[in-house]
């Protein structure tokens, strides 16, 4: 066997091993936080999914309640279409978190409440038009 | 200058690019010299009109002409001058124009630099560059035109203003640096395509682009590091890298480009790996376009996701076109690409380089897989699965450590084959140092990958210092020079080699910094005046909570005293909670922002975030993170830049 063949076989071997390994890690990640399924609020409520999920939606107006004893504890209602879900979150909140903000949360659903441990806000519409529909942007808002 | 002139300039550039491609293409068929000159000048014309359009947009941004939608969206009258300039790359259409602008600078340099060189290669080089320009001209002319007038039937009195997060000097230079990197790879790619078209895939094209590649690589590397630095200073989650799709988008071409930089050395010296190098540069360029696509299309949800837009499909088509055309071309030229040379031994420098390449590409694949996994799983299984940092860390930490080890092994291997004696001679000192370091680290109480990473770092530093020592002592013996003179002469005689070693030192420093991440500590708490709390052995006491009004925002400032576990004073931290646009009557338009304060030493950073303020009760909500060794990452970055500059510095001759 010439050396080039040996190299080819060895490289092919390494690649195969790595691909299997990546595939294996993709299906059995070490840390449960490695992956989360992105589903709709409606589906979560219907299926009562217990595994780690990621949800997107709007913060219902006036639903943010901040605990009197611990500022970090807060609850709010996440709205996606007609579906509504009560969310609890106890870490520091992003600056843009407020009524009507578009948020993405990650966590687990348990007995009617969603316990989120990650909360991301999408960039404020002020800077990039509406995220879902750019053409909905109106400059009338800044008329003086 | 009216904005119309800008739109017209873009139209003209579009026309010129088509003409230039046609002229040069006919030239490649009939070899009529006049057509080549025309094509070349038309190509310079494209760049000229792109420059003109860019300067007009810049001018409109500076004079705040809010009749242009782009100006009204990204600047306001109050926006400071420097951020009016940087607003050119704040939004989508502007940043595409900026891409084109940089490409045109590079195209102009390439054309002017090679007027009397590389006559065989140039026609196809210019055609390739013009096609890339054409693509961006189609985007800026027809899809998202930066000169689009404001869509309103009234006079816009003031614009939106630039996002305060982007009002930061790093943010003004991070995107351009990254873009210079992304765009820079267009030139080596164009040379590669030209080499394929000309059926000359020997070392000529490699020699003509080595420096370009290094420049592009330097910009890409510094762009990535600056982005991490900005995230660390501004975003307030205490980290610099989150495996976010857009970060990955810049990391993937960096990986293949780094592999390419290594493997072209083999082609230059040994004329091997022709196919591999071709494939690498094509992949690198494709990943650069793909990166721009990921950043600009909004397919991926991320902090960087700017807008969902119509750009996605067009970009994807372009990416597939590049891949299909380039790889079919490679297939057609497969007989020319075949090299006679063979690998002789596993313990040779060639095979060391080959393995390093393999690891880079594998890592790139892993990152690619993780980045696109959500899309893949959505298409196949119907559920969208998001992939977080733990996945990337689990896969990339071991690969990174292998890479680190190879960084040490590679330089000690000889070309063709390394004899047993020289293996023993070269590796004894570095391996011993690594082992001793490992024992010490285990003794201190470090575990697992931390020990491996630190000891490998020692091992690599030991190999590099052996290399330097060997070179210096050879010179001091031969020429009777002083050590410093010998060092200077040695480096300047062989800049790319020793510059490369210095880059490796930078990478080792960065690895040390990454490893520090394993010891991060964080805690959130609330403080009233005089209260204190503890994190990682430090005590944090709120001395004062003050407020102040500044020109464009209102700020609450906490004054926190930090003392260590012996009660000794360390520093005072002043994190701020700010409200931008605080005078806006509409509360929803006011924008809160947390300005961090970081106390940074070589050993650790103390990172403070003022999350929120309870005004009535005088309570400050503070998040503290203690992040060891972060500074090593930035120092490593500086060393990397210096090393690359040494490798780039032109020789006197």
């Amino acid at each position: 066997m010439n050396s080039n063949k040996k190299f080819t076989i060895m490289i092919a071997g390494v690649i195969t091993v790595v691909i299997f390994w990546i595939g294996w890690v993709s299906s059995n990640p070490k840390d449960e936080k490695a992956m989360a399924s992105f589903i709709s609020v409606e589906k979560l409520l219907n299926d009562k999914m217990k595994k780690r999920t990621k949800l997107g939606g709007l913060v219902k107006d006036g639903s943010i309640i901040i605990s009197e004893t611990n500022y970090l504890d807060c609850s709010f209602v996440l709205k996606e279409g007609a579906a509504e879900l009560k969310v609890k979150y106890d870490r520091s909140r992003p600056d843009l978190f407020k009524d009507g903000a578009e948020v993405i949360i990650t966590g687990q659903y348990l007995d009617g409440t969603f316990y989120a441990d990650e909360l991301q806000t999408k960039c404020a519409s002020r800077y990039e038009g509406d995220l879902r529909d750019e053409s909905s942007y109106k400059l009338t808002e800044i008329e003086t | 200058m009216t904005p119309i002139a800008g739109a017209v300039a873009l139209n003209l550039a579009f026309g010129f690019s088509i003409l230039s491609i046609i002229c040069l293409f006919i030239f490649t068929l009939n070899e009529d010299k006049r057509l080549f000159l025309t094509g070349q000048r038309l190509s310079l014309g494209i760049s000229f009109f792109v420059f003109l359009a860019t300067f007009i947009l810049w001018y409109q941004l500076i004079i705040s002409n809010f009749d242009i939608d782009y100006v009204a969206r990204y600047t306001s009258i109050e926006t400071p001058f420097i951020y009016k300039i940087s607003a050119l790359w704040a939004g989508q259409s502007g940043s595409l124009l900026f891409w084109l602008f940089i490409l045109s600078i590079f195209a102009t340099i390439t054309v002017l630099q090679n007027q009397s060189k590389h006559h065989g290669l140039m026609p196809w080089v210019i055609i390739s560059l013009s096609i890339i320009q054409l693509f961006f001209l189609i985007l800026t002319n027809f899809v998202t035109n930066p000169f689009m007038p404001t869509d309103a039937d009234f006079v816009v009195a003031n614009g939106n203003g630039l996002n305060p997060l982007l009002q930061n000097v790093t943010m003004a230079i991070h995107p351009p640096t990254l873009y210079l990197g992304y765009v820079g790879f267009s030139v080596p790619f164009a040379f590669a395509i030209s080499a394929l078209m000309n059926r000359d895939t020997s070392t000529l094209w490699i020699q003509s682009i080595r420096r370009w590649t290094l420049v592009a690589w330097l910009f890409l590397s510094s762009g990535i590091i600056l982005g991490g630095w900005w995230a660390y200073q501004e975003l307030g989650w205490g980290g610099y890298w989150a495996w976010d799709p857009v970060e990955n988008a810049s990391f993937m071409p960096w990986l293949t480009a780094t592999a390419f930089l290594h493997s072209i050395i083999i082609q230059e010296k040994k004329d091997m790996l022709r196919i591999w190098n071709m494939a690498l540069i094509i992949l690198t360029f494709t990943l650069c376009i793909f990166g721009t696509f990921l950043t600009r299309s909004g397919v991926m949800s991320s902090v960087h996701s700017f807008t969902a837009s119509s750009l996605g499909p067009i970009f994807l088509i372009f990416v597939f076109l590049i891949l299909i055309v380039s790889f079919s071309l490679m297939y057609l030229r497969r007989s020319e690409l075949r090299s006679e040379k063979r690998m002789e031994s596993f313990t040779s420098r060639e095979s060391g380089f080959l393995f390093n390449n393999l690891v880079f590409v594998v890592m790139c694949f892993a990152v690619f897989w993780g980045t696109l996994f959500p899309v893949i799983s959505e298409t196949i299984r119907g559920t969208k699965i998001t992939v977080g940092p733990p996945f990337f860390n689990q896969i990339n930490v071991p690969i990174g450590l292998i890479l680190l080890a190879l960084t040490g092994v590679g330089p000690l291997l000889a070309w063709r084959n390394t004899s047993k004696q020289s293996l023993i001679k070269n590796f004894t000192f570095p391996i011993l140092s690594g082992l001793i370091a490992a024992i010490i680290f285990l003794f201190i109480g470090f575990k697992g990958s931390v020990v491996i990473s630190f000891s490998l770092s020692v091992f690599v530093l030991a190999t590099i210092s052996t290399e330097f020592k060997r070179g210096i002592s050879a010179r001091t013996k031969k020429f009777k020079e002083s050590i410093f003179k010998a060092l200077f002469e040695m480096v300047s005689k062989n800049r790319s080699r020793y510059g490369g070693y210095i880059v490796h030192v930078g990478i080792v420093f960065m690895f040390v910094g990454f490893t520090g991440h394993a010891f991060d500590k964080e805690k959130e708490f609330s403080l009233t005046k005089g209260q204190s709390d503890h994190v990682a052995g430090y005590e944090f006491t709120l001395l004062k909570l003050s407020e102040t009004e500044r020109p464009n925002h209102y700020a609450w400032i906490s004054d926190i005293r930090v003392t260590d576990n012996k009660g000794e004073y360390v520093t005072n931290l002043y994190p701020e909670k700010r409200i931008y646009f605080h005078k806006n009557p509409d509360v929803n338009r006011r924008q809160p922002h947390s300005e961090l304060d970081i106390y940074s030493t070589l050993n650790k950073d103390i990172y403070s975030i003022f999350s929120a303020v309870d005004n009535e009760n005088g309570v400050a909500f503070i998040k503290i993170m203690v992040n060891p060794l972060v500074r090593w990452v930035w120092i490593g970055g500086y060393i990397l830049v210096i090393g690359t500059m040494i490798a780039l510095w032109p020789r006197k001759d």
Side-chain angles (χ1 to χ4, degrees):
Chain A
M1 193 157 44
N2 72 29
S3 60
N4 260 25
K5 237 186 207 152
K6 249 195 255 166
F7 268 93
T8 321
I9 291 170
M10 188 149 167
I11 289 169
V14 170
I15 290 174
T16 324
V17 169
V18 169
I19 287 178
F20 272 99
W21 176 52
I22 292 174
W24 186 80
V25 174
S26 310
S27 45
N28 316 284
K30 196 165 66 181
D31 185 332
E32 56 144 17
K33 285 190 180 175
M35 289 184 186
S37 352
F38 208 131
I39 58 170
S40 69
V41 175
E42 202 187 332
K43 189 169 158 57
L44 178 93
L45 291 173
N46 285 340
D47 300 2
K48 304 245 179 308
M49 279 230 219
K50 289 247 167 68
K51 63 176 186 177
R52 191 174 167 80
T53 48
K54 202 167 212 154
L55 307 166
L58 302 172
V59 178
K60 189 182 175 185
D61 282 347
S63 72
I64 302 176
I65 303 164
I66 293 165
S67 155
E68 304 230 323
T69 47
N70 183 356
Y71 172 82
L72 290 170
D73 272 342
C74 96
S75 71
F76 63 94
V77 175
L78 182 78
K79 263 183 71 168
E80 190 189 22
E84 293 192 358
L85 174 71
K86 193 181 168 204
V87 181
K88 282 198 170 199
Y89 179 72
D90 64 355
R91 301 187 184 197
S92 59
R93 298 177 287 276
D95 287 332
L96 299 176
F97 176 77
K98 57 190 167 199
D99 284 353
E102 193 182 354
V103 292
I104 295 174
I105 53 174
T106 319
Q108 265 164 316
Y109 181 71
L110 202 70
D111 303 328
T113 308
F114 190 84
Y115 294 88
D117 52 40
E118 273 174 34
L119 191 156
Q120 279 179 294
T121 44
K122 281 234 177 174
C123 203
S125 55
R126 182 181 171 86
Y127 297 106
E128 277 278 356
D130 191 308
L131 280 162
R132 283 143 301 169
D133 178 14
E134 212 181 344
S135 62
S136 71
Y137 180 85
K138 284 278 177 294
L139 279 169
T140 31
E141 293 171 30
I142 53 165
E143 192 183 13
T144 46
Chain B
M1 278 289 184
T2 61
I4 297 294
V8 172
L10 280 181
N11 284 327
L12 286 171
F14 173 73
F16 271 48
S17 66
I18 293 177
L19 288 178
S20 151
I21 295 164
I22 294 173
C23 276
L24 288 166
F25 182 70
I26 299 175
F27 166 74
T28 60
L29 300 176
N30 70 3
E31 305 268 315
D32 183 343
K33 193 81 189 141
R34 289 170 304 176
L35 277 173
F36 175 68
L37 289 174
T38 317
Q40 202 180 41
R41 277 164 205 165
L42 283 168
S43 143
L44 291 173
I46 312 172
S47 304
F48 171 77
F49 285 115
V50 170
F51 296 152
L52 190 64
T54 312
F55 289 129
I56 291 172
L57 187 58
W58 250 326
Y59 180 68
Q60 302 300 329
L61 285 165
I62 292 165
I63 62 165
S64 293
N65 181 354
F66 297 127
D67 291 341
I68 299 179
D69 184 69
Y70 190 82
V71 178
R73 278 190 186 214
Y74 298 105
T75 58
S76 61
I77 294 169
E78 302 86 33
T79 306
F81 182 76
I82 161 170
Y83 301 120
K84 282 184 177 173
I85 301 277
S86 75
L88 180 68
W89 50 85
Q92 176 161 287
S93 52
S95 65
L96 291 174
L97 178 63
F98 185 60
W99 219 104
L100 185 57
F101 174 69
I102 296 172
L103 179 60
S104 301
I105 296 177
F106 287 169
T108 310
I109 296 174
T110 311
V111 170
L112 296 180
Q113 214 177 30
N114 292 299
Q115 267 177 329
S116 53
K117 289 190 283 198
H118 303 311
H119 279 303
L121 285 170
M122 279 319 279
W124 279 106
V125 169
I126 302 176
I127 292 178
S128 312
L129 289 173
S130 299
I131 291 175
I132 305 169
Q133 282 176 314
L134 177 64
F135 170 69
F136 281 92
L137 281 165
I138 291 173
L139 292 181
T140 46
N141 267 301
F142 308 114
V143 186
T144 161
N145 193 320
F147 295 100
M148 200 177 68
T150 309
D151 179 22
D153 49 4
F154 53 84
V155 177
V156 180
N158 198 354
N160 266 355
L162 189 70
N163 190 330
L165 281 177
L166 302 180
Q167 301 203 15
N168 170 295
V169 181
T170 320
M171 214 41 207
I173 50 176
H174 154 64
T177 327
L178 205 53
Y179 274 34
L180 282 166
Y182 273 172
V183 184
F185 286 108
S186 309
V187 179
F189 171 75
F191 272 90
I193 292 296
S194 176
L196 283 175
M197 291 307 298
N198 288 327
R199 297 170 183 274
D200 177 12
T201 53
S202 60
T203 52
L204 178 72
W205 75 277
I206 294 275
Q207 284 156 1
S208 50
I209 51 122
R210 201 189 75 88
R211 182 159 280 155
W212 268 110
T213 315
L214 212 49
V215 170
W217 185 85
L218 174 63
F219 281 122
L220 190 58
S221 313
S222 9
I224 294 173
I225 297 167
L226 279 171
W229 198 69
W230 170 75
Y232 190 70
Q233 304 279 326
E234 278 298 301
L235 291 183
W237 43 270
Y240 41 83
W241 191 263
W243 299 107
D244 169 285
V246 170
E247 291 168 356
N248 295 345
S250 62
F251 189 47
M252 289 187 279
W254 186 87
L255 288 169
T256 50
T258 314
F260 180 71
L261 274 180
H262 288 94
S263 65
I264 52 174
I265 301 175
I266 308 191
Q267 189 171 348
E268 264 186 285
K269 296 234 154 106
K270 295 268 155 183
D271 198 16
M272 290 157 89
L273 302 180
R274 286 184 185 183
I275 299 180
W276 181 248
N277 283 328
M278 252 328 149
L280 275 181
I281 191 64
I282 292 167
L283 271 183
T284 305
F285 177 68
T286 316
L287 285 169
C288 286
I289 296 285
F290 185 69
T292 318
F293 157 74
L294 276 188
T295 320
R296 286 291 151 202
S297 68
V299 206
M300 303 288 174
S301 59
S302 86
V303 262
H304 296 80
S305 87
F306 300 98
T307 39
S309 75
S310 48
L311 281 176
I314 309 175
F315 259 103
L316 270 193
I317 292 171
F318 190 53
V319 165
F320 280 113
L321 270 182
I322 299 171
L323 284 178
I324 292 166
V325 171
S326 319
F327 283 106
S328 339
L329 203 54
M330 269 181 74
Y331 181 74
L332 290 174
R333 299 287 184 266
R334 61 191 181 281
S335 54
E336 283 92 352
L337 283 169
R338 223 161 263 151
S339 155
E340 321 279 87
K341 302 274 173 48
R342 301 215 178 283
M343 287 284 172
E344 290 173 43
S345 153
F346 280 109
T347 49
S348 63
R349 175 129 354 145
E350 296 92 310
S351 84
F353 272 119
L354 193 67
F355 278 104
N356 126 317
N357 263 252
L358 194 62
V359 178
F360 272 116
V361 173
V362 162
M363 196 163 184
C364 180
F365 175 76
V367 175
F368 184 79
W369 174 259
T371 313
L372 288 197
F373 193 71
V375 181
I376 299 167
S377 89
E378 196 174 13
T379 353
I380 296 172
R381 290 194 285 183
T383 45
K384 192 167 185 172
I385 294 192
T386 58
V387 180
F391 171 84
F392 288 101
N393 289 337
Q394 192 182 346
I395 288 192
N396 287 320
V397 167
I399 303 181
L401 290 177
I402 295 175
L403 212 47
L404 184 60
L406 283 176
T407 313
V409 175
L412 295 187
L413 297 173
W415 292 105
R416 298 184 64 190
N417 194 357
T418 318
S419 69
K420 226 174 217 156
Q421 293 103 305
S422 76
L423 270 181
I424 294 168
K425 194 180 123 224
N426 289 345
F427 280 96
T428 311
F429 169 66
I431 288 185
L432 268 182
S433 334
L435 281 178
I436 292 170
I439 292 166
I440 295 172
F441 291 131
L442 280 170
F443 189 70
I444 297 174
F446 295 157
K447 285 191 197 79
S449 54
V450 174
V451 176
I452 301 177
S453 171
F454 282 155
S455 343
L456 280 177
S457 302
V458 172
F459 166 69
V460 178
L461 289 180
T463 59
I464 296 171
S465 57
T466 335
E467 275 291 289
F468 271 89
K469 200 178 133 247
R470 203 161 54 184
I472 291 172
S473 65
R475 284 196 76 91
T476 44
K477 271 193 203 121
K478 197 170 165 196
F479 303 108
K480 305 267 176 287
E481 290 167 339
S482 73
I483 291 174
F484 292 105
K485 176 107 197 315
L487 175 70
F488 179 79
E489 287 294 323
M490 174 183 82
V491 173
S492 57
K493 285 264 151 43
N494 205 339
R495 291 171 209 263
S496 52
R497 178 169 173 192
Y498 290 99
Y501 286 154
I502 294 171
V503 172
H504 285 178
V505 174
I507 297 286
V508 169
F509 271 62
M510 292 172 96
F511 264 93
V512 172
F514 300 155
T515 313
H517 180 59
F519 303 100
D520 287 0
K521 296 244 165 28
E522 63 170 77
K523 192 174 175 186
E524 291 173 84
F525 46 80
S526 60
L527 294 177
T528 53
K529 194 177 161 184
Q531 273 188 329
S532 56
D533 208 324
H534 294 83
V535 188
Y538 290 95
E539 187 180 53
F540 298 85
T541 314
L542 183 69
L543 297 182
K544 204 170 80 188
L545 186 60
S546 53
E547 42 197 291
T548 177
E549 192 174 357
R550 302 204 184 100
N552 59 350
H553 64 267
Y554 194 86
W556 286 270
I557 307 157
S558 357
D559 178 353
I560 301 171
R561 189 187 60 207
V562 186
T563 48
D564 64 15
N565 49 11
K566 291 183 211 92
E568 271 175 48
Y569 172 80
V570 178
T571 183
N572 275 49
L573 291 169
Y574 304 94
E576 295 183 10
K577 184 82 207 170
R578 293 179 179 174
I579 307 283
Y580 281 87
F581 311 106
H582 61 288
K583 285 180 184 148
N584 198 315
D586 180 358
V587 179
N588 282 324
R589 289 202 156 276
R590 296 178 192 168
Q591 170 143 356
H593 172 77
S594 307
E595 186 73 13
L596 322 164
D597 197 10
I598 306 170
Y599 170 72
S600 177
T601 62
L602 210 52
N603 195 9
K604 60 183 69 166
D605 280 14
I606 301 175
Y607 190 98
S608 64
I609 307 154
F610 192 164
S611 316
V613 58
D614 177 347
N615 228 357
E616 286 161 34
N617 304 314
V619 185
F621 297 90
I622 306 288
K623 183 171 182 177
I624 298 285
M625 293 184 219
V626 178
N627 303 332
L629 304 176
V630 173
R631 213 181 216 195
W632 287 64
V633 177
W634 317 132
I635 296 174
Y638 285 120
I639 299 176
L640 179 145
V641 170
I642 293 169
T644 318
M645 301 262 235
I646 290 175
L648 267 175
W649 209 260
R651 264 175 243 237
K652 274 184 208 127
D653 50 47

